[in-house]
């Protein structure tokens, strides 16, 4: 249910509507060279969204490990999760007020909502160890992602109806409909997220979110201990580094797909939303399919095969992605491995870490989870600013997949049916 709730934010806000909408606003405010000047720095307007995403995740490098340590030290995960979920969804809801010149307001709301998104995902992912056995973890993780795509897809379908038939329902223009879509994504996250959180199992129903100096010192001590102890789990550390690379590539493809389609190919935002809606439902079946394959040949081998599909797809896109038909073909291929790549990664990592430190370890994992990648968007934005070529900017992401795949080959990951042994 929490995947169902939060996927609406990652789909409708991060993937479909906010990127092209905020980019269009930034371009309208840029000078003749397409540049914005923020604190005296020249920012290419078409790279503005990617830079904001990168900034939000750089802040999370500091914030998420602290959140993970606080959560592991707390008797109640769910109330901390409720705090970040509520605050993040409120920021997303306030995106309704992003006006024609409000690219800075949009950036601030994106920073807040994406940081809270990352914090909530740290805590949410840590529940995987609490509510499943090692044998069931691949399946449970896959089902979470699968139902997340359905939830995000349903709300996106409603948003499409608003955009396509805005005049018929009394909405003055497309931009107003997009603002409604952004804000209702926040309300969807708040409503279904609260329902999910209230039903989570927890150690205690009471928690004081204000941490005293003594507790805070204890939290920092525990965090330092975790940073030192991760060396004792070499497979977990190696997998985490591999994941930070290849999943940064995955998340960047997801984030920039809408902009690539609208700015490079000229696909209307309505048609883009239809294509991404198609991806949501194909990704549901793809998540289940990838899990079934992993149950036969093992999680690690299945994940490597998924990453090879990603590499081939990006190379294909560099040479042949130039119209709506090739964009649809690429989208279908990506959808088949999208959820499975993420679900298997989450499951494998959960088997390699100590259960009593799950939130702290997932805080490092979350630095390249849904909506929280930073290296890829930064590389894409810089490549686009230097070359003004969307194709070259997309091709630059192959580096992340190749490095991640090579490192993944060295990970001694457990098979689905094996007893987990941590080095």
């Amino acid at each position: 249910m929490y995947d169902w709730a939060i996927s609406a934010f990652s789909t409708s806000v991060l993937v479909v509507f906010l990127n092209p909408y905020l980019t269009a606003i930034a371009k309208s405010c840029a000078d003749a060279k397409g540049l914005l000047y923020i604190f005296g720095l020249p920012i290419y307007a078409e790279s503005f969204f990617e830079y904001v995403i990168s900034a939000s995740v750089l802040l999370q490098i500091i914030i998420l490990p602290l959140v993970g340590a606080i959560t592991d030290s707390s008797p109640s995960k769910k109330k901390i999760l409720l705090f970040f979920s509520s605050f993040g969804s409120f920021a997303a809801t306030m995106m309704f007020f992003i006006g024609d010149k409000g690219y800075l307001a949009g950036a601030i709301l994106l920073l807040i909502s994406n940081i809270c998104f990352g914090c909530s995902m740290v805590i949410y992912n840590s529940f995987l160890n609490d509510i499943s056995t090692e044998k069931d973890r691949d399946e449970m993780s896959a089902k979470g992602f699968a139902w997340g795509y359905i939830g995000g897809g349903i709300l996106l379908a409603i948003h499409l109806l608003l955009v396509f038939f805005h005049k018929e329902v009394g909405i003055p223009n497309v931009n107003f409909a997009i603002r409604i879509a952004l804000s209702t994504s926040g309300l969807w996250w708040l409503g279904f997220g609260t329902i999910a959180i209230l039903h989570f199992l927890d150690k205690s129903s009471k928690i004081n979110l204000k941490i005293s100096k003594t507790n805070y010192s204890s939290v920092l001590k525990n965090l330092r201990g975790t940073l030192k102890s991760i060396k004792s789990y070499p497979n977990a550390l190696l997998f985490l580094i591999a994941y930070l690379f290849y999943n940064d590539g995955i998340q960047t493809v997801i984030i920039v797909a809408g902009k690539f389609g609208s700015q490079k190919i000229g696909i209307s935002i309505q048609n883009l939303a239809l294509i991404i809606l198609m991806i949501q439902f194909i990704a549901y079946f793809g998540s289940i399919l990838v899990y079934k394959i992993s149950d036969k040949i093992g999680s690690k081998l299945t994940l490597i095969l998924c990453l090879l599909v990603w590499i081939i797809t990006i190379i294909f896109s560099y040479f042949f992605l130039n119209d709506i038909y090739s964009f649809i073909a690429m989208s279908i291929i990506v959808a088949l491995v999208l959820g499975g790549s993420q679900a298997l990664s989450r499951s494998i990592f959960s088997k390699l870490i100590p259960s009593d430190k799950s939130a702290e370890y997932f805080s490092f994992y979350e630095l390249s989870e849904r909506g929280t990648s930073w290296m890829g968007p930064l590389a894409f934005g810089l490549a686009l600013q230097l070359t003004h070529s969307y194709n070259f900017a997309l091709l630059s992401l192959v580096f992340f997949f190749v490095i991640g795949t090579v490192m993944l080959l060295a990970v001694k990951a457990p098979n689905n049916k094996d007893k987990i042994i941590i080095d």
Side-chain angles (χ1 to χ4, degrees):
M1 181 59 70
Y2 197 75
D3 255 308
W4 173 287
I6 205 164
S7 290
F9 173 79
S10 59
T11 300
S12 286
V13 176
L14 295 181
V15 178
V16 179
F17 293 112
L18 187 58
N19 193 338
Y21 180 66
L22 198 58
T23 299
I25 293 175
K27 289 173 66 176
S28 70
C29 297
D31 62 15
K33 296 180 179 179
L35 296 175
L36 300 167
Y37 292 89
I38 301 175
F39 301 116
L41 295 175
I43 303 295
Y44 189 51
E46 293 196 38
S47 299
F48 180 68
F49 181 86
E50 285 74 26
Y51 290 155
V52 176
I53 288 288
S54 296
S56 72
V57 181
L58 287 172
L59 290 172
Q60 290 181 52
I61 291 175
I62 301 171
I63 297 171
L64 296 193
L66 289 174
V67 170
I70 291 169
T71 301
D72 281 333
S73 301
S74 166
S76 177
K77 292 182 181 180
K78 72 179 185 180
K79 289 193 176 181
I80 303 177
L81 176 56
L82 182 62
F83 170 79
F84 286 112
S85 180
S86 300
F87 197 49
S89 59
F90 174 76
T93 303
M94 294 300 292
M95 289 179 182
F96 175 80
F97 299 101
I98 301 175
D100 293 339
K101 303 293 183 181
Y103 66 93
L104 286 178
I108 293 171
L109 290 174
L110 176 56
L111 279 170
I112 295 172
S113 60
N114 208 34
I115 288 172
C116 290
F117 176 94
C119 292
S120 71
M121 288 302 297
V122 166
I123 307 167
Y124 166 62
N125 284 338
S126 72
F127 272 97
L128 185 60
N129 282 9
D130 298 340
I131 63 176
S132 66
T133 63
E134 292 167 353
K135 181 180 178 181
D136 299 331
R137 211 159 289 163
D138 286 356
E139 181 179 8
M140 187 167 290
S141 184
K143 286 183 176 179
F145 270 97
W147 282 104
Y149 286 117
I150 294 295
I154 289 174
L155 186 61
L156 180 58
I158 296 172
H159 290 158
L160 274 176
L161 293 175
L162 284 176
V163 171
F164 280 133
F165 303 105
H166 61 275
K167 292 182 179 179
E168 286 77 1
V169 296
I171 298 173
N173 53 59
V174 170
N175 283 349
F176 197 88
I178 290 173
R179 288 161 55 194
I180 293 176
L182 295 172
S183 62
T184 51
S185 298
L187 293 174
W188 180 282
W189 178 5
L190 175 63
F192 286 109
T194 301
I195 292 171
I197 293 167
L198 292 178
H199 285 81
F200 277 162
L201 297 175
D202 213 341
K203 300 174 185 177
S204 172
S205 60
K206 296 181 179 180
I207 182 173
N208 184 358
L209 289 177
K210 294 182 179 179
I211 301 173
S212 65
K213 291 183 179 180
T214 303
N215 287 337
Y216 190 71
S217 298
S218 177
V219 165
L220 291 177
K221 183 178 179 181
N222 290 339
L223 179 57
R224 286 194 297 268
T226 298
L227 290 171
K228 292 179 180 179
S229 68
I230 196 171
K231 297 177 182 179
S232 301
Y233 302 93
N235 275 323
L237 179 58
L238 185 60
F239 179 84
L240 180 62
I241 297 172
Y243 176 80
L244 290 177
F245 276 97
Y246 72 74
N247 199 57
D248 231 82
I250 292 174
Q251 297 307 316
T252 306
V253 171
I254 295 171
I255 290 170
V256 305
K259 175 185 283 189
F260 190 100
S262 63
Q263 301 295 324
K264 171 62 172 59
I265 302 176
I267 303 174
S268 68
I269 194 167
Q270 293 94 330
N271 285 334
L272 273 174
L274 281 173
I275 294 170
I276 295 171
L277 178 63
M278 172 195 71
I279 291 174
Q280 293 294 114
F281 292 101
I282 294 177
Y284 169 84
F285 295 104
S287 297
I288 303 301
L289 175 63
V290 170
Y291 159 68
K292 296 294 184 182
I293 295 173
S294 72
D295 199 40
K296 300 294 183 183
I297 66 175
S299 304
K300 176 183 170 181
L301 179 56
T302 305
L303 180 56
I304 290 172
L305 292 175
C306 289
L307 295 181
L308 291 176
V309 172
W310 279 100
I311 292 171
I312 293 170
T313 302
I314 291 179
I315 294 174
F316 165 86
S317 301
Y318 176 76
F319 291 104
F320 303 108
L321 186 57
N322 48 31
D323 57 35
I324 189 171
Y325 303 105
S326 55
F327 189 87
I328 292 173
M330 183 203 73
S331 299
I332 292 173
I333 296 171
V334 164
L336 289 173
V337 296
L338 176 58
S341 302
Q342 298 169 309
L344 287 180
S345 298
R346 179 167 67 181
S347 176
I348 291 172
F349 186 67
S350 72
K351 299 173 185 177
L352 297 173
I353 61 176
S355 296
D356 61 336
K357 296 286 186 179
S358 58
E360 289 183 49
Y361 278 82
F362 268 112
S363 70
F364 301 110
Y365 176 91
E366 184 61 30
L367 293 178
S368 186
E369 238 278 78
R370 288 175 290 182
T372 58
S373 57
W374 66 277
M375 293 184 294
L378 182 60
F380 185 93
L382 288 173
L384 182 60
Q385 180 160 348
L386 293 173
T387 67
H388 291 197
S389 169
Y390 277 93
N391 289 69
F392 188 82
L394 187 62
L395 185 64
S396 68
L397 301 179
V398 169
F399 166 81
F400 297 97
F401 287 99
V402 172
I403 294 296
T405 303
V406 171
M407 296 188 70
L408 182 61
L409 289 169
V411 175
K412 296 178 181 178
N415 292 322
N416 297 3
K417 300 178 181 179
D418 291 345
K419 181 177 177 63
I420 308 304
I421 300 176
I422 301 178
D423 294 341

